[in-house]
Amino acid sequence: MTQLSLTINDILNDSEYGLGLSLLAGKAGLSHRLYSSRLQKPGLALTGYTEHLHPDRLQLFGNTEISYLNQLSKEQLAVSISRFCSFPISCLVITKDLTPPDLLMIEAEKANIPVLGTELQSSLFISLITKFLEERLLPTTHIHGVLVDVLGVGVLLIGKSGIGKSECALDLVIRGHRLVGDDIISVKRKVPAALVGESNGAIQHHMELRGLGIINIKDLFGVSSIREKKIIDLVIELVEWDLDDEYDRLGIEDRNYEILGVKVQYLEIPVRPGRNITSIIEIAARNFLLKGMGYNSAKDFHERLLARIKGQTIGGEVE
């Protein structure tokens, strides 16, 4: 798992999310790093209650905070700002183009605390910056495999190199399903427990087929054949058929595959000549949807079989 972080300068230079930030003070602190996507409005901290102040989070000053500071006497203001700036604050953002007290700018500059300003309302800025930070700071890992959207189910195909993952994915695309990524899948864990997979940017929409080379799925099959990202619902591992191995023939027990601490339903499918693996994957996706609706065909069959055996046994004893 990769522990991601951002510098304050990365946030300042964002042009994708429309944060509209500008530097007001504390240029020397632009190298400070953020490791959490959580924000804090330090209202109580300004009054002196700093027990739950988290200086490693982005501190948001809105109308409430600025109004409070502006109504303090000079002595009270000096004490409040001096106390607040004594903490190793990573960054301070002032919304609505509010004018902060000059003393706040002076003390932040001395303490190398970057102060950023935006014209956005606090509520809108919180929404945008949270999406920005979550996208870049969530736990991330990379998995060798192929991610396909099959009937709305995010299916991650894994297995050793050359087992046929890309060929299966191509066949699924030909059947009308959608490719998310081939070879290297970037996976992020989102709250509360969802895994979102997407293709590595350099090879996005491309697929490697041995003997044919690199092909562009988007160009060959159109935009309806690809997806940018997809929640991973099901992990299917393709393995070589081993006559000495025992494979699940009933499907009663659910198995899980753990990624970034999140458990995802897991299936192991043995590969051998004559097996239509693509059809099996498609059926696995349909079966996953049925389970999501509360129906488990394997368990239903097992229960009916046990009931029938029990009924025959009781009938035999009565006779």
Side-chain angles (χ1 to χ4, degrees):
M1 181 175 69
T2 304
Q3 176 63 50
L4 299 179
S5 66
L6 287 172
T7 66
I8 305 306
N9 197 50
D10 293 331
I11 300 173
L12 178 62
N13 293 327
D14 167 69
S15 59
E16 180 181 351
Y17 284 77
L19 301 176
L21 292 168
S22 59
L23 180 65
L24 303 180
K27 183 177 180 180
L30 289 178
S31 60
H32 292 174
R33 306 194 77 87
L34 286 177
Y35 295 88
S36 172
S37 61
R38 300 186 66 181
L39 313 178
Q40 185 171 31
K41 287 179 67 68
L44 284 176
L46 297 176
T47 68
Y49 184 73
T50 58
E51 183 176 348
H52 296 290
L53 178 66
H54 299 277
D56 57 322
R57 298 179 188 174
L58 190 150
Q59 303 293 321
L60 193 67
F61 275 48
N63 191 56
T64 301
E65 288 75 16
I66 297 300
S67 296
Y68 171 76
L69 293 176
N70 285 334
Q71 60 88 36
L72 295 177
S73 67
K74 289 185 178 180
E75 294 76 14
Q76 292 172 327
L77 180 64
V79 171
S80 177
I81 290 179
S82 176
R83 183 193 301 115
F84 181 77
C85 291
S86 67
F87 290 87
I89 304 297
S90 58
C91 180
L92 193 160
V93 176
I94 300 174
T95 61
K96 295 178 62 177
D97 269 346
L98 295 169
T99 302
D102 292 338
L103 185 58
L104 178 59
M105 298 295 96
I106 294 172
E107 292 299 319
E109 191 73 42
K110 289 180 181 178
N112 293 331
I113 298 174
V115 181
L116 309 181
T118 177
E119 65 178 9
L120 299 177
Q121 296 276 349
S122 295
S123 57
L124 177 57
F125 179 78
I126 290 173
S127 176
L128 294 175
I129 192 65
T130 299
K131 291 179 181 178
F132 173 85
L133 294 175
E134 284 184 348
E135 186 68 24
R136 288 162 172 76
L137 293 177
L138 288 175
T140 303
T141 189
H142 295 86
I143 296 177
H144 178 67
V146 183
L147 181 58
V148 190
D149 179 347
V150 183
L151 301 170
V153 179
V155 179
L156 177 63
L157 302 177
I158 61 174
K160 70 177 186 179
S161 181
I163 195 69
K165 300 183 296 295
S166 295
E167 289 78 3
C168 284
L170 178 60
D171 202 7
L172 287 167
V173 169
I174 293 173
R175 292 181 181 220
H177 305 295
R178 306 168 75 181
L179 175 74
V180 180
D182 178 60
D183 192 33
I184 300 296
I185 304 300
S186 176
V187 181
K188 293 183 178 182
R189 185 184 68 199
K190 292 195 173 183
V191 177
L195 297 172
V196 179
E198 59 185 328
S199 175
N200 182 285
I203 57 175
Q204 192 176 41
H205 308 151
H206 291 78
M207 179 182 288
E208 178 193 355
L209 297 173
R210 285 173 173 79
L212 187 59
I214 304 296
I215 62 172
N216 189 314
I217 296 297
K218 181 180 178 181
D219 290 346
L220 285 172
F221 298 97
V223 294
S224 63
S225 65
I226 54 99
R227 284 197 64 159
E228 298 296 323
K229 57 184 66 176
K230 184 74 178 75
I231 292 177
I232 299 173
D233 301 299
L234 179 64
V235 175
I236 296 180
E237 183 174 8
L238 303 182
V239 298
E240 292 183 353
W241 188 291
D242 187 348
L243 293 176
D244 297 325
D245 203 351
E246 288 290 333
Y247 300 106
D248 190 358
R249 300 181 66 177
L250 295 178
I252 296 175
E253 296 295 330
D254 289 333
R255 302 171 64 186
N256 295 314
Y257 189 91
E258 188 169 311
I259 303 174
L260 295 174
V262 179
K263 293 181 179 180
V264 184
Q265 188 171 327
Y266 168 83
L267 297 173
E268 184 183 66
I269 297 180
V271 178
R272 69 179 299 181
R275 299 199 86 200
N276 191 329
I277 303 302
T278 305
S279 294
I280 294 175
I281 293 172
E282 194 174 61
I283 293 301
R286 293 178 182 273
N287 199 42
F288 176 88
L289 292 174
L290 270 180
K291 289 181 178 179
M293 297 174 66
Y295 178 74
N296 189 316
S297 56
K299 289 183 178 180
D300 179 68
F301 171 78
H302 182 65
E303 289 170 0
R304 286 191 290 109
L305 183 61
L306 289 178
R308 184 173 181 179
I309 293 174
K310 183 178 179 180
Q312 289 177 348
T313 301
I314 293 175
E317 292 175 351
V318 172
E319 293 177 356

